[in-house]
Amino acid sequence: MKRADVVELFTRLRELNPHPTTELAYTTPFELLVAVVLSAQATDVGVNKATKKLYPVANTPQAILELGEEGLKKYINTIGLFNAKAKNVIALCRLLVEQHHGEVPRTREALEALPGVGRKTANVMLNTAFGEPTIAVDTHIFRVANRTGLAPGKDVRAVEDKLEKVVPAEFKRDAHHWLILHGRYVCKARKPDCPHCPIRDLCRYKHKTVE
């Protein structure tokens, strides 16, 4: 995609949604971290239903440790892979208490050292909790970047690296959210809503849907 088209693409997405953010419900960096870990292969809606019950009871590393793994499972058992996720969250909380005074670290290296936290989750935290211009490539962003021709790549890291190069600095802080929301609600996996797409004319996708 030409640079002028990239600028136009993000200009339009910004006009439609000037202040995008995650759809996960949270009030602290720790709440966001747990929500993101729980959201792997699960919907934000499903995670929010679980954390709405969990966080009033336990929303700090120490409080979740006191719940214990079995206690935590009672709150998150509606989420896919909840057994493995409960184990990771407990281990994550223990590490936060033992090594970070119960606070979420603000560096990629420290975040990725936490159980259940990979590069994508670290990018989400750096961007959404701490305001850094990182781009976390999930399935939605991977699809949109390839379909549109914005940043085609064979794997998520290739797409992330390309987005880092092609997204203009003024849009980088919010690009992650615009692309996720576009993929979730417009450029959907099975049938993209091309007729109502605000960037249809800029997109390189050959199989555009019609009314």
Side-chain angles (χ1 to χ4, degrees):
M1 190 177 286
K2 297 176 184 175
R3 180 166 179 78
D5 288 347
V6 174
V7 172
E8 180 63 20
L9 181 152
F10 283 108
T11 298
R12 292 182 194 178
L13 294 181
R14 180 172 62 187
E15 286 173 354
L16 290 168
N17 188 357
H19 306 291
T21 189
T22 179
E23 294 187 317
L24 289 169
Y26 74 100
T27 58
T28 66
F30 175 71
E31 286 186 359
L32 178 61
L33 178 60
V34 172
V36 176
V37 169
L38 294 177
S39 72
Q41 297 180 48
T43 66
D44 288 1
V45 172
V47 172
N48 288 342
K49 284 181 180 178
T51 57
K52 186 177 182 180
K53 296 175 182 177
L54 171 65
Y55 290 158
V57 176
N59 71 337
T60 66
Q62 187 60 48
I64 287 182
L65 280 177
E66 289 169 9
L67 269 185
E69 194 172 319
E70 292 307 313
L72 176 58
K73 285 179 185 178
K74 294 176 184 176
Y75 291 95
I76 67 169
N77 61 13
T78 54
I79 300 172
L81 307 175
F82 72 92
N83 285 311
K85 290 175 181 178
K87 189 174 184 178
N88 277 335
V89 169
I90 291 294
L92 177 155
C93 289
R94 188 171 292 115
L95 210 62
L96 288 178
V97 169
E98 292 174 354
Q99 298 185 13
H100 301 285
H101 310 289
E103 297 294 321
V104 177
R106 299 180 68 130
T107 68
R108 177 185 299 285
E109 185 179 25
L111 284 165
E112 290 188 19
L114 298 172
V117 177
R119 184 176 181 86
K120 185 181 78 172
T121 298
N123 276 336
V124 171
M125 293 305 299
L126 291 169
N127 177 277
T128 306
F130 303 128
E132 295 191 22
T134 55
I135 300 175
V137 179
D138 69 349
T139 55
H140 296 300
I141 292 183
F142 183 78
R143 180 173 66 254
V144 170
N146 275 288
R147 258 190 195 161
T148 60
L150 173 63
K154 291 183 177 180
D155 54 52
V156 291
R157 185 58 192 271
V159 168
E160 181 188 333
D161 290 345
K162 196 162 285 188
L163 285 169
E164 285 292 334
K165 293 178 182 177
V166 304
V167 177
E170 68 172 299
F171 301 110
K172 202 165 278 186
R173 170 73 176 80
D174 292 321
H176 165 80
H177 299 297
W178 284 319
L179 294 174
I180 279 182
L181 293 170
H182 186 69
R184 186 173 288 165
Y185 296 111
V186 182
C187 195
K188 293 175 278 193
R190 293 186 180 178
K191 189 180 180 184
D193 189 11
C194 301
H196 300 102
C197 175
I199 58 170
R200 177 191 171 104
D201 57 313
L202 306 171
C203 175
R204 300 290 190 270
Y205 188 49
K206 294 178 181 178
H207 310 289
K208 291 186 175 75
T209 59
V210 294
E211 290 279 16

